[in-house]
Amino acid sequence: MAEYTGMALTKKGRMLQVKAESGVLLKFTKVSIGDGEHTGQNIDDLTSLISPKKDLGISGIQVDSSGYCRIHTSITNEGLTEPFYVREIGLFAEDPDEGEILFGITFAKEADFLPANGGTTGVNAEFEIIVVVGNAKEITAVISNTGYVSKEEFNKLVIRVDAMAQRAEKNTDDISKVSLRLTNLEQSFSNNFTNNQFTEDFYTLDDVIVSRGVYDSVNKRLVM
């Protein structure tokens, strides 16, 4: 993926960050890409991308103790009818007073080409945006349920599925053992113990002392 300049906050973005450090929820809503070029525009005054082309969903966020927030997303050409060079990336957030605002923006030093959908090239490139959130009390994001799963998330899911399969296999084995024991019990009860399935077959009572009941030598059983 192309190299970009550092994420620069807009004036509205800095104002929202101040609010967030005082306790207001900082909620990121989306990422947007475009082909606009930075030719001297004052970033402070920007409220949207210079030339927006496509919105991207947010797949996850991570906030560390040093005041950095990583926003995970991916660029895809799904639904894209016209190709373009990705020259700008914007991060949007929800301001409780202003509504959705352009929180910050970054520009490509050398842009990548994003082809239109339907050709021979399918694009799905994961990337993350890193922003300084300082001492913001609470940070969240609108997580898209239409985006692609990341490789890291997929690998975690594979591990979980494998663990579940191993547990299911063990449970199946345990159930089979219990079923066999129940079958033995049912067979023993159904034939009134005349064909006993247990270790003692009652064929003789050698070395066995009967303390209760009567030994039926004909049917080879104990009668209680």
Side-chain angles (χ1 to χ4, degrees), residues 16-211:
L16 178 55
Q17 184 172 349
V18 171
K19 295 177 185 178
E21 292 184 354
S22 67
V24 171
L25 173 68
L26 178 54
K27 181 171 72 173
F28 297 110
T29 56
K30 69 179 181 182
V31 176
S32 187
I33 57 177
D35 63 355
E37 295 186 76
H38 187 216
T39 56
Q41 299 92 332
N42 189 346
I43 293 178
D44 266 3
D45 298 332
L46 292 178
T47 57
S48 67
L49 296 189
I50 296 170
S51 178
K53 293 295 182 182
K54 184 177 176 62
D55 290 338
L56 309 176
I58 296 173
S59 59
I61 62 170
Q62 292 176 312
V63 183
D64 61 35
S65 58
S66 59
Y68 288 91
C69 179
R70 299 174 182 271
I71 295 94
H72 301 275
T73 185
S74 60
I75 290 180
T76 172
N77 64 344
E78 183 177 358
L80 188 66
T81 58
E82 295 184 3
F84 66 95
Y85 283 92
V86 183
R87 296 189 177 97
E88 54 180 342
I89 299 176
L91 176 63
F92 289 78
E94 186 73 24
D95 186 296
D97 303 312
E98 302 277 347
E100 188 176 64
I101 64 164
L102 176 61
F103 185 80
I105 190 169
T106 180
F107 294 94
K109 295 180 179 179
E110 185 174 346
D112 278 337
F113 180 73
L114 185 62
N117 189 27
T120 58
T121 304
V123 176
N124 178 31
E126 302 171 26
F127 71 99
E128 64 181 18
I129 298 172
I130 303 175
V131 293
V132 179
V133 292
N135 297 317
K137 308 297 182 184
E138 188 175 359
I139 304 170
T140 187
V142 177
I143 305 299
S144 170
N145 60 0
T146 59
Y148 294 93
V149 65
S150 69
K151 178 186 284 187
E152 181 181 3
E153 290 169 334
F154 177 78
N155 289 338
K156 289 180 180 178
L157 181 60
V158 169
I159 293 173
R160 289 177 58 190
V161 170
D162 286 345
M164 291 173 63
Q166 291 175 6
R167 287 197 297 269
E169 184 176 353
K170 183 180 184 302
N171 290 342
T172 300
D173 185 52
D174 290 342
I175 291 171
S176 297
K177 291 178 180 177
V178 171
S179 177
L180 179 60
R181 292 178 181 178
L182 288 174
T183 300
N184 288 338
L185 283 172
E186 289 172 351
Q187 291 175 350
S188 297
F189 280 112
S190 64
N191 60 36
N192 203 20
F193 285 96
T194 57
N195 294 313
N196 182 39
Q197 304 295 316
F198 299 97
T199 303
E200 179 57 64
D201 59 13
F202 298 116
Y203 187 76
T204 69
L205 288 187
D206 294 346
D207 300 324
V208 176
I209 299 175
V210 179
S211 60

